[in-house]
Each structure stands twice: as structure tokens, then as C-alpha cells.
């Protein structure tokens, strides 16, 4: 088994767009609008000139979901993800995405803190954050394009917390994923360069 991070591109545009427009993804996103193909292609063209890194995560060459790490400034990055809709995720994929995001932020980009935002009705990431000991550091209200107002829970991991958190996350992974994560850590720099 291996981990592959495939950058968003024209080659995977249709797959990613279908996931972005899936109901469960839109329900758990700040942007709950249906995204047109033209809008997605425009987004792709802007990615190449930004500090945003969007990937399709593959294991055994099978797409598992999407993760992104955005360098906000030299000290801070934001990350987000979603699992492939209508697929049966392999055990450990969600913690694996957390681990990969942390590796990219702290070990490659060398930021001081990694932040994430989760809508208040999106329970799986809230449970994982709680299980890992990542607390909510703030809550804000946001209005989505549909007009719905939602609470956004903000989480932060610091560089000092990362080593012990990485160990806890790794402990949630099946043994096979622990091994490929260790291998990924050795080669992670090539994922964002």
C-alpha cells in the first residue's frame, strides 16, 4: 500500500467537481452552492499562483478523499478535507488525512500553528478532534450562500503540540497505514514543492 497525493488538475477535475457538489460535502461546507465546471476550472487556474495546496488522497491507487493545506502566512496554515462521497472509506482514512495535513504544515511548510474550521453540524470531525484532545478555541457565525446561518468551530494545533498529536493520530491507524505514513513522512517535501 502507498499514499499518493495527486494535485487538483484538469485530469481529475470531473471527479473532484462531482465530490465538491455531492450533497453531504455541500452540507458540511461554508459554500453550500452547486459549483459549475467553469467555476471549478477557474479555481484550478488560480491554485497554481497561490499558497493553497489541494490534493486527492489515494491509497492503493484508489481515491479516498480530498485534503488541502493553505499557507495563510509564514506562521499559520489552515487545513480542510472531505472523504470521497458514496464510497466506503477504509478504516483510518480520516485520521490519516489529519496526519498528512500536520506533516505538510509542520514538517514541510514549517508553520507555528495549523487551524481548521468545522461546521457545528458536522459531527465526525468534532468527535475526532475531541478524541485527539484538540479543543475548540473559538466559535464564529457565518452565512452561507443559501442564506443559512451556521456556527463555525475553530480548532488550532501548535507546533509544540504536533509531535505528541502525531503519535496519537498514528495510534488510530491500522498497522499498514502506520507504515505508509512513516514512509510518506520521509518523502513529504516533494508533495508541496
Amino acid at each position: 500500500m502507498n499514499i499518493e497525493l495527486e494535485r487538483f488538475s484538469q485530469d481529475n477535475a470531473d471527479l473532484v467537481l462531482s465530490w465538491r457538489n455531492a450533497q453531504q460535502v455541500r452540507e458540511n461546507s461554508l459554500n453550500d452552492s452547486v459549483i459549475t465546471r467553469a467555476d471549478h476550472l477557474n479555481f484550478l487556474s488560480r491554485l497554481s499562483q497561490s499558497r493553497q495546496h489541494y490534493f486527492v488522497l489515494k491509497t492503493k491507487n484508489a481515491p479516498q478523499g480530498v485534503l488541502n493545506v493553505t499557507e495563510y502566512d509564514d506562521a499559520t496554515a489552515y487545513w480542510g478535507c472531505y472523504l470521497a462521497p458514496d464510497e466506503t472509506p477504509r478504516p483510518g482514512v480520516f485520521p490519516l488525512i489529519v496526519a498528512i495535513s500536520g506533516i505538510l504544515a509542520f514538517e514541510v511548510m514549517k508553520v507555528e500553528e495549523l487551524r481548521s474550521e468545522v461546521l457545528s453540524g458536522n459531527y465526525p470531525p468534532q468527535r475526532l478532534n475531541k478524541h485527539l484532545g484538540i479543543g475548540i478555541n473559538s466559535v464564529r457565525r457565518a452565512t452561507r450562500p443559501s442564506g443559512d446561518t451556521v456556527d463555525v468551530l475553530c480548532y488550532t494545533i501548535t507546533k509544540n503540540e504536533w509531535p505528541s498529536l502525531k503519535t496519537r493520530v498514528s495510534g488510530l491507524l491500522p498497522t499498514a497505514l502506520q507504515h505508509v505514513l512513516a514512509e510518506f513522512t520521509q518523502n513529504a517535501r516533494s508533495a508541496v514543492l
Side-chain angles (χ1 to χ4, degrees):
M1 182 185 302
N2 63 342
I3 296 172
E4 181 185 348
L5 295 182
E6 179 181 284
R7 285 192 178 275
F8 277 23
S9 69
Q10 297 274 341
D11 294 338
N12 58 30
D14 291 333
L15 173 68
V16 171
L17 181 59
S18 72
W19 290 356
R20 289 180 76 190
N21 282 327
Q23 182 177 351
Q24 73 185 50
V25 172
R26 289 194 349 260
E27 286 173 354
N28 293 308
S29 300
L30 273 176
N31 183 355
D32 57 357
S33 301
V34 173
I35 300 162
T36 67
R37 190 168 202 290
D39 287 341
H40 182 65
L41 293 177
N42 285 334
F43 171 71
L44 292 179
S45 68
R46 290 189 310 271
L47 278 181
S48 64
Q49 300 163 6
S50 73
R51 296 172 75 169
Q52 299 176 307
H53 308 281
Y54 278 76
F55 304 99
V56 174
L57 169 68
K58 293 181 174 182
T59 59
K60 294 184 178 178
N61 295 319
Q64 301 297 315
V66 165
L67 71 102
N68 66 81
V69 180
T70 298
E71 298 173 82
Y72 180 73
D73 56 33
D74 291 338
T76 307
Y78 284 84
W79 79 278
C81 71
Y82 52 85
L83 299 179
D86 303 320
E87 302 286 333
T88 305
R90 291 183 176 96
V93 170
F94 193 28
L96 178 64
I97 290 174
V98 173
I100 291 170
S101 299
I103 290 165
L104 294 177
F106 294 113
E107 299 175 30
V108 176
M109 298 172 190
K110 307 288 188 190
V111 298
E112 296 296 316
E113 63 181 28
L114 179 60
R115 299 177 184 174
S116 65
E117 297 181 331
V118 177
L119 299 189
S120 60
N122 191 359
Y123 301 112
Q126 291 176 52
R127 286 191 294 269
L128 182 59
N129 278 315
K130 184 175 181 178
H131 182 74
L132 293 172
I134 305 168
I136 300 167
N137 62 324
S138 66
V139 178
R140 67 180 175 86
R141 297 210 35 97
T143 303
R144 295 163 22 145
S146 65
D148 292 342
T149 302
V150 293
D151 287 331
V152 180
L153 312 177
C154 304
Y155 296 87
T156 301
I157 305 165
T158 66
K159 180 174 137 178
N160 292 336
E161 295 168 329
W162 174 240
S164 62
L165 180 62
K166 184 179 179 183
T167 300
R168 287 195 304 275
V169 171
S170 182
L172 297 176
L173 300 175
T175 304
L177 286 181
Q178 289 178 9
H179 293 301
V180 295
L181 181 63
E183 184 178 316
F184 174 81
T185 301
Q186 300 292 324
N187 304 308
R189 188 158 190 74
S190 63
V192 294
L193 295 178

